[in-house]
Amino acid sequence: MVDIGLDAYRFSISWSRLIPNGRGPINPKGLEYYNNLINELISHGIQPHVTLHNFDLPRALEDEYGGWVSPKIVEDFRAYAEVCFREFGDRVLHWTSVNEPNVFAMGGYDLGFLPPQRCSSPFGIRNCSKGNSSSEPYLVVHHCLLAHASAARLYKKTYQDKQHGFVGLSIYMYWFVPFSDSEEDAKAVERGNEFLVNWLLHPLVFGEYPNVMKKNVGSRMPNFTIAESSLVKGSADFIGIIHYQNWYIKDDPHSLMMQNRDFGADMAANMIEMHDNATTPESLQGVIEYLKQVYGNPPTYVYENGLPIKRNSSLKDVPRVEYMHGYIGAVLDALRNVDVEICRRNGSNIKGYFTWSFLDLFELLDGYQSSYGLFYIDLDDPDLKRYPKLSAKWFSNFLKGKVANLDTILELHNNLPNTSLYHNLQ
């Protein structure tokens, strides 16, 4: 990290590793592990950005009361967060409570292909043994928001004056393109934003869910009490953006006629992944602008942005370099946006950009089949030797203020390590 020029590193603390039973005794080896990691980062001038929950929950809490589907999770999460604030907060300034609750709820509790694999027929894409796709996604996000807000209030009341840090929430920020030029698909874009983005942002800014969601979901939509609304409203010091690419969206009005509906049917629109335009930097700029225009330009970090490439394909990851070049450029354009009418900067409140990911790792959706890393990891090597890809060289040049345009790609490629593995991967 030091060689590349990184000044910040984002990672998750595993609740199960630190407090194996979800509550109660702290695992001393888990505590030592995270203290060592944080201390090593700090000693090299690298800021730790810590996420408290990223799809993994202690099994004991899942077995006891169903984990995130139960309101009991709010107090247990607050207590877990307090352990982290107390033990690590003297060195950690940036805390993300929950990572992308919208994807967590849809993938884990509606379609059932993500942990904890809960769903119900006919909506799940696998045969889940437990769950209710019609109601649980809404309950899970509701409890994520309350858990986040509860932890944030605790931090502000007990720790912020001494530690001077911040507590935020990360959201998978979709950018939708109408599937056609029809007015119906244009309205589907608005509805998609309401369901998948404003679902989280609206409570954080205004203390309530979007009206279109309350209308379409009806009695299955949880309600905030007055006290809960006050707790959630204004509870995020920053927003973390998770963004990769555009999605098409197509109107589907007939789904609202179904008696038994899940999240997708309530949205009355179909999402279609774009496979033909992986590099669309304007989508990230659009997401950032959306936060500025609709939600008051909150402090924002781009916490995930990257391109998957098939593992073991090549260290010469030119498509990833082109992707990073475009998307980082979009962030810079959003930062320096100029209002020509009043002749002054009118930029977004972006505080940082993190590429996904520093190293090749075990991916949530497809394990080791694809890689996002700037560094290749040789899984056949007992020492897990690392090799810098072309993207690592390019990103290092960019961070150090050297020439980082696309014309330098082949020159950088010639300087990659001359190893047998490298030649095999070309």
Side-chain angles (χ1 to χ4, degrees):
M1 294 183 197
V2 173
D3 290 344
I4 282 186
L6 297 186
D7 60 4
Y9 179 64
R10 174 177 176 257
F11 65 93
S12 302
I13 289 177
S14 169
W15 189 346
S16 302
R17 178 182 245 165
L18 192 62
I19 310 174
N21 292 321
R23 65 173 81 92
I26 298 173
N27 172 20
K29 290 188 176 181
L31 185 64
E32 180 184 22
Y33 173 85
Y34 289 114
N35 270 320
N36 288 344
L37 172 59
I38 292 167
N39 289 342
E40 192 73 9
L41 291 168
I42 295 293
S43 71
H44 288 90
I46 299 171
Q47 303 172 32
H49 284 239
V50 175
T51 298
L52 294 176
H53 182 270
N54 187 22
F55 290 85
D56 58 333
L57 181 74
R59 179 62 182 266
L61 302 185
E62 189 75 27
D63 291 343
E64 180 183 338
Y65 55 71
W68 287 99
V69 300
S70 169
K72 294 180 181 179
I73 193 70
V74 176
E75 174 56 28
D76 282 337
F77 181 83
R78 187 204 63 79
Y80 156 59
E82 180 160 29
V83 170
C84 294
F85 297 152
R86 184 181 70 235
E87 298 293 340
F88 312 123
D90 58 328
R91 290 150 292 159
V92 175
L93 296 178
H94 299 88
W95 298 96
T96 297
S97 56
V98 183
N99 190 47
E100 52 188 34
N102 48 352
V103 170
F104 177 53
M106 289 188 302
Y109 297 84
D110 180 1
L111 302 177
F113 66 94
L114 296 178
Q117 296 183 346
R118 294 174 68 101
C119 64
S120 60
S121 180
F123 305 109
I125 62 175
R126 64 168 70 231
N127 294 322
C128 302
S129 59
K130 296 180 180 179
N132 186 328
S133 297
S134 294
S135 60
E136 287 189 359
Y138 302 109
L139 286 173
V140 167
V141 164
H142 192 69
H143 297 147
C144 284
L145 286 167
L146 292 174
H148 154 79
S150 180
R153 173 175 286 185
L154 167 72
Y155 186 81
K156 289 176 172 63
K157 181 179 179 180
T158 308
Y159 295 96
Q160 197 167 44
D161 284 346
K162 295 179 181 179
Q163 297 179 355
H164 311 293
F166 310 92
V167 179
L169 188 78
S170 289
I171 304 173
Y172 194 107
M173 297 282 287
Y174 294 86
W175 186 253
F176 293 120
V177 176
F179 188 73
S180 73
D181 294 331
S182 70
E183 182 179 349
E184 290 77 13
D185 284 353
K187 290 181 178 178
V189 168
E190 297 177 8
R191 216 162 43 248
N193 286 330
E194 294 281 3
F195 268 78
L196 286 159
V197 176
N198 303 358
W199 186 15
L200 292 162
L201 287 170
H202 222 69
L204 291 174
V205 176
F206 301 113
E208 61 181 2
Y209 291 114
N211 287 331
V212 69
M213 290 194 75
K214 291 189 285 187
K215 176 184 175 183
N216 286 14
V217 180
S219 61
R220 291 174 289 120
M221 193 77 195
N223 292 313
F224 292 112
T225 65
I226 294 176
E228 288 171 343
S229 176
S230 177
L231 177 70
V232 172
K233 182 179 179 180
S235 60
D237 294 324
F238 64 87
I239 298 298
I241 293 176
I242 315 294
H243 179 79
Y244 290 91
Q245 65 187 82
N246 288 353
W247 289 74
Y248 288 120
I249 196 162
K250 190 177 190 302
D251 183 49
D252 182 19
H254 301 294
S255 66
L256 289 175
M257 300 176 186
M258 298 166 54
Q259 188 171 0
N260 181 27
R261 299 202 300 268
D262 72 336
F263 181 89
D266 290 331
M267 186 169 65
N270 294 321
M271 294 170 53
I272 304 166
E273 186 174 3
M274 289 186 177
H275 293 288
D276 56 343
N277 66 334
T279 303
T280 53
E282 64 276 7
S283 64
L284 179 55
Q285 189 171 353
V287 161
I288 295 169
E289 184 69 16
Y290 185 82
L291 276 171
K292 185 179 81 171
Q293 296 294 341
V294 180
Y295 289 105
N297 206 14
T300 303
Y301 291 89
V302 177
Y303 268 153
E304 287 184 34
N305 177 242
L307 180 70
I309 295 177
K310 186 177 180 180
R311 184 174 174 80
N312 290 351
S313 56
S314 176
L315 293 178
K316 190 173 66 173
D317 55 345
V318 173
R320 179 174 290 116
V321 174
E322 294 173 338
Y323 181 99
M324 294 174 67
H325 183 273
Y327 279 83
I328 292 173
V331 173
L332 294 174
D333 287 342
L335 265 173
R336 61 192 176 212
N337 183 29
V338 176
D339 190 324
V340 294
E341 293 185 5
I342 57 177
C343 298
R344 69 176 175 86
R345 286 184 56 175
N346 189 29
S348 295
N349 199 3
I350 296 289
K351 300 295 185 180
Y353 171 93
F354 294 71
T355 187
W356 185 271
S357 56
F358 178 62
L359 305 169
D360 284 349
L361 44 77
F362 186 86
E363 289 294 339
L364 182 66
L365 297 179
D366 61 3
Y368 292 116
Q369 293 182 40
S370 65
S371 72
Y372 287 79
L374 305 181
F375 282 79
Y376 173 82
I377 306 294
D378 185 0
L379 296 178
D380 296 323
D381 185 330
D383 296 323
L384 299 176
K385 187 171 177 60
R386 306 166 199 155
Y387 297 87
K389 301 178 187 178
L390 181 61
S391 54
K393 297 286 188 178
W394 180 87
F395 197 40
S396 180
N397 272 14
F398 171 77
L399 293 175
K400 294 174 182 178
K402 300 179 182 178
V403 176
N405 58 42
L406 296 181
D407 294 337
T408 63
I409 291 177
L410 291 179
E411 180 182 346
L412 290 171
H413 168 243
N414 293 332
N415 294 325
L416 283 170
N418 186 18
T419 66
S420 58
L421 172 69
Y422 167 66
H423 287 298
N424 289 336
L425 285 176
Q426 283 194 82

